[in-house]
């Protein structure tokens, strides 16, 4: 009997040992799976739940004029996000109504309480509360201080406060089309803000800190962080004083002529630096969509007419035809032409603007009188291939490379598709189309001893360190500099253009003693998407520089669809005179006494 009891006892012991052994094997297997197989996954999960990664946004670089005046700056503002899951847990744990929480948050942020309540109930696709909801942006410091106090006092750690960016244009509409604007995230939307967006934006930093289960940073832990690299400051070639003068001149021209629009560009003809760029009407970059009802209206308002659009240049293009003919030795100062008021090309009569014509003229006369038949003769001597060769050399038909987005190439008729009538009309500024920056670049080539320079707006870029000190890291380098015509040809033509202003069709721009050289233009506007021209729609223009023998400043004025008078000599040249007078005064440029 005793032996039987011993057997049973040993059997029970064996079962217990087997069970314990199995349990230990299972536990060991689980530990192996957790500690070895799934270690990386579980560690990452644990770190994700116990750490908070916050992107620290860099400050967008400022845009300054050539004298350091601020044109676009970024203010320090903040944004608030909500972790709605933590908010819900907080409400349940502390038995606090979400309505009360919404009231407190809306009061601190000056938000509509009903919108805050709706935001607090937003859920994801599977029905869970959102972990990251953007509640408010561009919050000023005095407001965010109240929010921080609320978060601390009430332990509202479901509120996440981050730095944000707010772009500010202190002069409102000033230089609007060139500066452009940014979108709601602070990224470049148009203009220089878009073209130099990468340089202005900088590189974000990262802050990683340990948090508890309610996402509150642990006080004993030192956060790991990388400092953001702020965006570069960009110094422009723009002179704010000259820009102001040009803005006022454009506004007055638009008012006086009841025009659809006015563009003015002022440059240094030797370097291609743009001192001023104006388009009217314009917009306020601080609120670029204000007052606009449709996307088409917005598109038209934002277009930089001087850069994005191409129009027939009219008689201002005669500068190029003259330069080509002089360079090829196909004409000379006393070359004789006869204008009877029209010329017939392949059965098509092309009229001079003056009924009855100008009669006998020399080369300087056809420039001074802007005589179409005379330039048709020069175009005929050059021929299709040679004329197009110079058109290309002067930068037409391709973007000039200005540092603004959306630049047009213009429209140049290919040589193999050019008829004799086309050759005739192109020679005096019709059929082909060009942008305003292409035209000012062509004039500058003549005024700069025949050397082409690219119109541009960036003068230099500077990095700004944590200590606030700035260092120039890049200056503008022109990659398109080239000799287009000889210095002799350029200087000869510059002298002729001075006579166009002093005694010719552009005499309304004449100021004694300043040696202004220039050319007016009056171009019919081509029908959009069709053949022919729009009746009664013109672009009146003037391009000029001074002094003609050592130019310090050049400018272009274009008046789009003026009402009433529409000749460039009548309405654009007087604007040029007023503009030159004010710029000369600003530059302390004195007249030359004879």
């Amino acid at each position: 009997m005793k032996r039987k009891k011993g057997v049973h006892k040993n059997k029970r012991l064996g079962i217990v040992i087997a069970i314990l052994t199995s349990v230990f094997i299972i536990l060991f297997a689980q530990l192996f799976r957790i500690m070895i197989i799934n270690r990386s996954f579980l560690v990452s999960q644990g770190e994700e739940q116990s750490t908070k990664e916050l992107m620290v946004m860099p400050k967008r670089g400022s845009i300054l004029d050539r004298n350091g005046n601020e044109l676009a700056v970024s203010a320090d503002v903040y944004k608030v996000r909500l972790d709605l899951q933590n908010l819900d847990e907080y409400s349940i744990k502390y038995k606090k109504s979400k309505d009360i929480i919404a009231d407190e948050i809306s009061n601190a942020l000056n938000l509509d309480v009903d919108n805050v309540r709706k935001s607090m109930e937003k859920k994801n696709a599977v029905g869970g509360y959102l972990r990251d909801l953007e509640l408010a942006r561009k919050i000023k410091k005095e407001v965010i201080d109240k929010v921080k106090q609320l978060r601390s006092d009430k332990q509202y750690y479901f509120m996440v406060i981050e730095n944000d960016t707010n772009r500010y244009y202190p002069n409102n509409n000033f230089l609007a089309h060139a500066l452009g604007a940014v979108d709601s995230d602070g990224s470049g939307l148009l203009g220089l803000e878009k073209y130099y967006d990468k340089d202005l934006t900088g590189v974000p930093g990262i802050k990683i800190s340990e948090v508890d289960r309610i996402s509150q940073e642990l006080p004993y832990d030192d956060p790991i962080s990388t400092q953001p690299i702020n965006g570069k400051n960009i110094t422009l070639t723009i002179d704010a004083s000259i820009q102001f003068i040009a803005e006022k001149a454009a506004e007055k021209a638009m008012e006086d002529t009841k025009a659809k629009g006015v563009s003015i560009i002022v440059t240094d003809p030797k370097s291609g630096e743009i001192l001023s760029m104006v388009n009217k009407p314009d917009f306020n970059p601080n609120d670029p969509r204000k007052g606009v009802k449709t996307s088409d209206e917005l598109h038209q308002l934002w277009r930089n007419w001087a850069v994005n659009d191409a129009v027939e240049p009219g008689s201002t293009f005669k500068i190029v035809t003259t330069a080509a003919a002089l360079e090829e030795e196909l004409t000379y100062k006393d070359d004789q032409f006869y204008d009877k008021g029209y010329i017939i090309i392949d059965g098509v009569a092309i009229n001079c603007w003056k009924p009855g014509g100008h009669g006998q003229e020399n080369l300087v006369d056809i420039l001074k009188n802007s005589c179409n038949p005379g330039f048709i003769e020069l175009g005929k001597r050059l021929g299709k291939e040679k004329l197009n060769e110079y058109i290309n050399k002067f930068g037409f038909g391709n973007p000039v490379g200005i540092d603004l987005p959306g630049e047009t190439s213009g429209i140049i008729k290919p040589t193999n598709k050019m008829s004799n009538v086309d050759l005739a009309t192109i020679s005096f500024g019709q059929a082909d189309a060009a942008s305003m920056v292409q035209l000012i670049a062509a004039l500058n080539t003549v005024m700069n001893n025949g050397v082409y320079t690219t119109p541009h707006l960036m003068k230099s870029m500077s990095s700004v360190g944590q200590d606030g000190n700035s260092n120039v890291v890049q200056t503008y380098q022109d990659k398109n500099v080239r000799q287009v015509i000889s210095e002799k040809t350029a200087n000869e033509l510059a002298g002729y253009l001075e006579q166009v202003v002093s005694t010719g069709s552009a005499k309304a721009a004449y100021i004694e003693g300043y040696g202004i050289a220039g050319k007016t233009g009056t171009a019919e506007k081509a029908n959009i998407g069709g053949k022919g021209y729009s009746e009664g729609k013109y672009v009146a223009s003037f391009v000029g520089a001074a002094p003609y023998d050592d130019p310090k400043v050049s400018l272009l004025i274009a008046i789009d669809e003026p009402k009433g008078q529409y000749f460039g000599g009548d309405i654009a040249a007087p604007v040029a005179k007023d503009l030159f007078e004010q710029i000369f005064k600003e530059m302390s440029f004195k007249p030359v006494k004879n």
Side-chain angles (χ1 to χ4, degrees):
M1 224 27 214
K2 287 182 180 180
R3 185 172 174 273
K4 191 173 183 180
K5 281 184 179 180
V7 171
H8 286 306
K9 186 177 179 181
N10 290 336
K11 189 175 182 181
R12 285 197 300 272
L13 183 60
I15 292 171
V16 170
I17 292 171
I19 292 171
L20 289 174
T21 301
S22 299
V23 170
F24 278 116
I25 290 171
I26 292 170
L27 288 173
F28 180 80
Q30 283 288 83
L31 286 172
F32 183 82
R33 183 179 63 83
I34 293 170
M35 297 178 68
I36 305 300
I37 298 175
N38 292 339
R39 181 181 183 280
S40 298
F41 172 75
L42 294 172
V43 167
S44 65
Q45 286 290 97
E47 288 178 350
E48 185 178 326
Q49 294 176 13
S50 63
T51 61
K52 180 171 67 176
E53 183 175 305
L54 182 67
M55 184 175 289
V56 184
M57 297 305 296
K59 188 174 182 179
R60 190 173 180 85
S62 298
I63 301 178
L64 316 168
D65 89 329
R66 67 190 302 118
N67 298 310
N69 298 303
E70 292 182 335
L71 303 176
V73 294
S74 289
D76 291 326
V77 289
Y78 302 85
K79 57 186 171 184
V80 173
R81 299 178 181 275
L82 296 180
D83 183 335
L84 298 185
Q85 181 175 311
N86 277 344
L87 188 157
D88 186 61
E89 291 173 358
Y90 177 95
S91 175
I92 294 170
K93 179 178 179 179
Y94 294 102
K95 297 181 174 58
K96 188 166 184 176
S97 166
K98 288 186 180 181
D99 287 341
I100 295 175
I101 295 173
D103 286 339
E104 293 172 337
I105 292 175
S106 62
N107 287 334
L109 285 168
N110 299 319
L111 297 176
D112 180 78
V113 66
D114 290 331
N115 289 336
V116 174
R117 286 172 182 160
K118 291 176 183 176
S119 297
M120 287 167 52
E121 295 302 323
K122 290 188 176 180
K123 297 182 179 181
N124 57 30
V126 295
Y129 281 106
L130 295 177
R131 300 303 305 266
D132 184 16
L133 174 77
E134 186 178 281
L135 183 65
R137 293 196 62 180
K138 304 189 187 303
I139 308 165
K140 294 182 179 179
K141 187 179 184 302
E142 57 267 25
V143 175
I144 210 66
D145 286 342
K146 296 179 183 179
V147 177
K148 287 179 178 179
Q149 192 64 47
L150 173 66
R151 185 178 186 273
S152 175
D153 291 346
K154 303 290 185 177
Q155 296 186 339
Y156 285 174
Y157 302 128
F158 47 77
M159 298 177 69
V160 180
I161 299 170
E162 298 178 2
N163 65 320
D164 198 6
T165 181
N166 185 40
R167 200 62 163 169
Y168 177 60
Y169 304 87
N171 301 309
N172 297 316
N173 295 48
F174 191 81
L175 195 65
H177 286 94
L179 287 176
V182 297
D183 61 20
S184 59
D185 292 320
S187 298
L189 185 63
L190 61 150
L192 289 161
E193 293 278 24
K194 181 176 181 179
Y195 192 91
Y196 288 112
D197 186 55
K198 185 177 179 180
D199 300 290
L200 290 163
T201 298
V203 181
I206 297 176
K207 178 183 177 183
I208 303 173
S209 55
E210 287 197 41
V211 295
D212 59 21
R213 63 180 300 277
I214 58 172
S215 298
Q216 170 72 347
E217 288 187 16
L218 296 175
Y220 53 83
D221 184 65
D222 292 327
I224 302 170
S225 63
T226 58
Q227 291 295 323
I229 300 173
N230 290 333
K232 297 181 181 71
N233 288 347
I234 296 180
T235 298
L236 302 182
T237 59
I238 293 291
D239 185 314
S241 297
I242 294 176
Q243 178 70 20
F244 179 80
I245 292 168
E247 296 256 1
K248 293 300 180 184
E251 288 172 2
K252 187 176 186 303
M254 194 162 172
E255 181 181 346
D256 290 346
T257 63
K258 304 295 186 291
K260 178 182 177 182
V262 173
S263 268
I264 293 177
I265 304 174
V266 182
T267 77
D268 178 338
K270 295 180 180 178
S271 66
E273 291 187 349
I274 294 176
L275 304 176
S276 170
M277 177 176 283
V278 181
N279 289 284
K280 298 292 180 181
D282 55 20
F283 58 93
N284 187 343
N286 291 303
D287 189 5
R289 292 178 172 81
K290 185 177 181 180
V292 180
K293 297 178 181 179
T294 67
S295 58
D296 184 62
E297 287 179 1
L298 188 66
H299 177 72
Q300 291 302 319
L301 186 63
W302 284 358
R303 286 186 72 80
N304 187 338
W305 186 42
V307 176
N308 303 143
D309 290 354
V311 296
E312 292 187 3
S315 294
T316 56
F317 187 79
K318 291 171 181 174
I319 295 172
V320 176
T321 306
T322 307
L326 284 169
E327 185 72 4
E328 292 297 316
E329 298 182 349
L330 297 171
T331 190
Y332 54 95
K333 181 179 179 180
D334 294 320
D335 195 5
Q336 295 298 302
F337 303 85
Y338 186 80
D339 172 24
K340 58 184 178 181
Y342 67 92
I343 189 169
I344 297 176
I345 305 293
D346 290 351
V348 177
I350 302 175
N351 297 321
C352 181
W353 64 268
K354 182 181 180 181
H358 294 94
Q360 196 71 31
E361 302 173 285
N362 64 20
L363 177 65
V364 181
D365 291 332
I366 67 170
L367 257 178
K368 288 166 59 177
N369 297 328
S370 202
C371 177
N372 289 348
F375 281 91
I376 292 172
E377 173 60 27
L378 289 182
K380 186 177 179 181
R381 294 180 191 178
L382 282 163
K384 301 169 186 176
E385 289 187 6
K386 188 60 69 173
L387 180 59
N388 258 3
E389 178 185 322
Y390 278 91
I391 287 172
N392 181 263
K393 283 182 177 180
F394 270 95
F396 297 99
N398 292 291
V400 302
I402 189 172
D403 43 349
L404 284 171
E407 184 194 352
T408 181
S409 299
I411 303 170
I412 303 300
K413 187 172 283 291
T415 304
N416 60 359
K417 294 184 179 180
M418 191 187 298
S419 67
N420 291 330
V421 172
D422 291 330
L423 174 62
T425 57
I426 290 169
S427 68
F428 61 80
Q430 284 189 350
D432 285 350
S435 70
M436 304 304 167
V437 289
Q438 287 175 329
L439 284 172
I440 194 73
L443 172 74
N444 286 348
T445 300
V446 173
M447 306 311 297
N448 187 36
N449 297 320
V451 178
Y452 183 95
T453 57
T454 305
H456 61 278
L457 288 150
M458 189 272 278
K459 192 172 183 69
S460 65
M461 285 188 197
S462 301
S463 63
V464 182
Q466 296 298 324
D467 57 2
N469 293 326
S470 63
N471 296 293
V472 174
V473 295
Q474 183 180 340
T475 57
Y476 179 80
Q477 301 294 321
D478 195 337
K479 298 178 181 178
N480 294 320
V481 176
R482 59 186 183 272
Q483 191 81 41
V484 176
I485 53 176
S486 68
E487 182 176 346
K488 177 180 178 296
T489 297
N491 293 340
E492 183 180 352
L493 179 53
Y496 298 164
L497 292 173
E498 190 278 331
Q499 294 184 56
V500 173
V501 174
S502 59
T503 59
S505 59
K507 57 182 176 289
Y510 178 71
I511 306 172
E512 186 175 356
Y514 285 95
I516 299 171
K519 185 74 187 74
T520 59
T522 307
E524 295 178 276
K525 291 187 71 173
N527 286 318
I528 298 174
K531 294 183 178 180
Y533 295 89
S534 299
E535 185 176 352
K537 293 184 178 181
Y538 300 88
V539 175
S541 59
F542 173 90
V543 291
Y548 75 95
D549 53 352
D550 185 20
K552 302 294 190 297
V553 62
S554 62
L555 57 83
L556 175 146
I557 296 162
I559 303 174
D560 185 25
E561 295 185 23
K563 300 295 188 293
Q565 289 185 318
Y566 57 83
F567 285 109
D570 293 331
I571 62 174
V575 177
K577 178 180 179 179
D578 180 56
L579 196 53
F580 271 126
E581 284 180 331
Q582 294 186 66
I583 291 173
F584 293 155
K585 184 177 180 180
E586 178 64 32
M587 297 175 70
S588 300
F589 181 52
K590 305 296 183 183
V592 177
K593 294 181 180 179
N594 295 327

